[in-house]
Amino acid sequence: MSPDATPAECLAEAFRLLSRGVADRRSAFHTVTLATVGPDGAPEARTLVLRGFEPATRTIRLHSDSRSAKVTALEADPRCVIHLYDAPAKIQLRLSGRAALHRSDALADAAWAASRDAARMVYAVQPAPGTAVAAPPVAPQDPVAGRAWFALLLVRVDRLEWLELAASGHRRARFAWTGDSPAEASWLVP
Ligand SMILES: Cc1cc2nc3c(=O)[nH]c(=O)nc-3n(C[C@H](O)[C@H](O)[C@H](O)COP(=O)(O)O)c2cc1C
């Protein structure tokens, strides 16, 4: 970004990078780190594929197994943070929001229908993810059975922090939304 970029231009660039992350598997933003609050109050973090981003509603789409620790954590406390870093662009984003879980509604059905068989098979794994086993299980081959455990996670972002590293001076901006109002933006000391 140019050193003269406005906060609005930084936000537009952040949204552009998120949309590219969905579409481009080679983009640094194709995967995100999702941080949640565990049952004991401790933070937990893991990598997920960025499946969708809707700028108008600031909604991030992720897929996971409803038996997993992250889904259990989000059921108890929907607050989460999504972290991304694009090393070539030297841009870090930190998104905060709440996750809504969809398992058996039309939205989950549509996400499942749009998934490829190879992605669907993952959800047929037995026993449940995170179970201690004597040896790694064989890869499931069933593209149907996993529907029972497939979960769509929709994260509505209500805060976004932009950090861009540059020799001319690092630039950090925070954006906060309340409902559908336009973002409140402010520069922060990096
Ligand atoms: C590159 C990469 C992509 C991943 N994508 C997903 C994903 O889209 N959904 C998912 O549930 N887990 C994904 N995982 C696995 C998670 O990082 C994590 O190990 C697993 O979901 C269990 O997390 P949990 O026990 O915190 O729920 C991915 C891992 C890697 C390394």
Side-chain angles (χ1 to χ4, degrees):
M1 297 291 288
S2 122
D4 303 328
T6 63
E9 288 167 338
C10 294
L11 183 61
E13 177 66 1
F15 279 19
R16 193 188 69 77
L17 290 171
L18 287 167
S19 296
R20 199 182 79 187
V22 175
D24 181 357
R25 298 170 70 88
R26 286 164 305 167
S27 154
F29 279 13
H30 188 60
T31 54
V32 307
T33 301
L34 171 71
T36 52
V37 181
D40 57 357
E44 297 174 340
R46 74 292 280 163
T47 309
L48 271 76
V49 173
L50 178 60
R51 310 280 174 176
F53 174 61
E54 195 178 278
T57 57
R58 315 182 309 272
T59 303
I60 297 275
R61 182 157 63 84
L62 307 168
H63 294 174
S64 196
D65 191 309
S66 61
R67 299 167 293 176
S68 66
K70 72 183 84 49
V71 172
T72 305
L74 289 169
E75 278 175 324
D77 186 341
R79 293 175 303 164
C80 58
V81 166
I82 291 173
H83 168 270
L84 308 97
Y85 179 54
D86 185 329
K90 297 192 174 70
I91 291 170
Q92 170 183 264
L93 299 185
R94 292 195 283 183
L95 319 178
S96 311
R98 286 170 186 269
L101 296 169
H102 298 265
R103 289 177 176 168
S104 50
D105 59 8
L107 288 174
D109 286 343
W112 178 259
S115 300
R116 286 174 301 178
D117 275 355
R120 291 177 180 172
M121 288 173 191
V122 172
Y123 299 94
V125 74
Q126 291 287 6
T131 306
V133 285
V138 291
Q141 300 294 323
D142 186 337
V144 177
R147 175 65 189 89
W149 297 293
F150 173 75
L152 165 69
L153 311 182
L154 294 180
V155 179
R156 180 98 196 262
V157 174
D158 53 30
R159 242 176 45 209
L160 182 154
E161 206 182 284
W162 159 282
L163 175 67
E164 181 179 17
L165 306 179
S168 55
H170 305 330
R171 290 155 61 85
R172 179 176 172 192
R174 180 178 56 205
F175 303 87
W177 293 265
T178 308
D180 294 326
S181 306
E184 281 178 32
S186 61
W187 292 116
L188 301 177
V189 175

